[in-house]
């Protein structure tokens, strides 16, 4: 199991914006304009029935990528619809539908199920992402996760990675410097169109110049792996913003570490919260040293205050 120290990840930036917004609705040939503080014929709250959902799992994250060493592991992916009590009070009258796991450009089926309370599982073999999807009454509350396991050699380790929804903007924060410590940026395009992805690296001393202006094209329903070590060597505290054009992507920052001849395990950093003026990191387990990594992607200086909320009240580290 990974012996990497616990790292709390956060991104902070001060933003200011202002403006006036007008809204219009079209009904029977007429246009209705709303004042800046009003809405035009739209209800304040509405319920929309979710009948289709999807999450992306990285699959064999240490396979694939040009000039990258292949390290296969045993990858198990599991997906399930949310149990009915978790959806209360919005109980669905019809829980019929399908939960399925597919992979590759052709959407090869790995497993599927139609029972509301069943878990669908499958193994991922090749360098492809796995798409967990659900339809009908099983779509609300879809969850999925994967495990990567390898034992018996220096590359041994266990990583448990939540599958995430694809987005146009991602923040992947993790990794570090040191001999035999490697990071891979694994990006997956679950859509039917090619996506262009731009990314850079923020480091302990600001933007890493060797990583500026980087772009990569990802074909439909495909995945790519990029060596972060080749782009930002010896960076002790990388933070990687990812922006997709022409679609959405999912990604993880895979961090593996071997110290001498001893495998120290691996970890996958999934997308963190986007930049904001207030961020809350819940569920921290600090058994030993813990580090809070803060990045400021703006052009102005940001002053950040950090507090830890404990059982006895807030404290300041």
């Amino acid at each position: 199991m990974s012996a990497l120290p616990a790292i709390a990840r956060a991104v902070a930036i001060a933003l200011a914006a202002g403006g006036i917004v007008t809204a219009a609705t079209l009904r029977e040939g007429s246009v209705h304009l709303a004042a800046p503080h009003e809405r035009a014929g739209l209800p304040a709250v509405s319920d929309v029935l979710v009948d289709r959902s999807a999450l992306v799992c990285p699959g064999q994250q240490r396979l694939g990528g040009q000039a990258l060493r292949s390290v296969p592991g045993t990858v198990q992916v599991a997906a399930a619809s949310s149990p009915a009590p978790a959806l209360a009070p919005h109980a669905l009258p019809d829980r019929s539908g399908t939960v399925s796991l597919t992979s590759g450009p052709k959407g090869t089926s790995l497993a599927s199920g139609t029972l509301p309370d069943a878990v669908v599982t499958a193994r991922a073999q090749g360098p492809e992402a796995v798409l967990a999807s659900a339809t009908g009454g099983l779509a609300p509350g879809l969850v999925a996760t994967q495990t990567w396991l390898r034992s018996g050699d220096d590359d041994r380790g266990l990583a448990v990675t939540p599958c995430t929804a694809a987005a146009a903007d991602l923040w992947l924060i993790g990794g570090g410097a040191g001999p035999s410590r490697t990071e891979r940026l694994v990006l997956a395009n679950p859509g039917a169109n090619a996506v262009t992805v731009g990314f850079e690296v923020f480091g302990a001393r600001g933007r890493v110049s060797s990583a500026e202006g980087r772009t990569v094209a990802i074909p439909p329903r495909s995945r790519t792996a990029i060596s972060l070590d080749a782009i930002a060597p010896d960076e002790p505290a990388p933070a990687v913003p990812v922006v997709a054009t022409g679609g959405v992507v999912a990604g993880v920052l895979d961090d593996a570490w071997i110290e001498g001849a001893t495998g120290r395990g691996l970890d996958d950093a999934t997308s963190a919260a986007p930049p904001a003026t207030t961020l809350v990191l819940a569920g921290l387990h600090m058994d030993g040293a813990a580090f809070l990594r803060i990045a400021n992607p703006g052009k102005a200086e940001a002053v950040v205050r950090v507090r830890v909320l404990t059982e006895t009240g807030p404290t300041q580290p």
Side-chain angles (χ1 to χ4, degrees), residues 5 44-45 54 60 88 124 163 193 219 250 260 284 297:
V45 178
Q60 290 271 4
C163 306
N193 300 315
L284 301 181

Side-chain angles (χ1 to χ4, degrees), residues 86-109:
L87 301 175
H90 305 288
L92 298 177
D94 181 12
R95 293 300 305 278
S96 64
T98 302
V99 175
S100 33
L101 297 172
T102 59
S103 70
K106 297 181 179 180
T108 303
S109 177

Side-chain angles (χ1 to χ4, degrees), residues 280-286:
V280 177
L281 289 81
L284 301 181
H285 178 67
M286 293 184 289

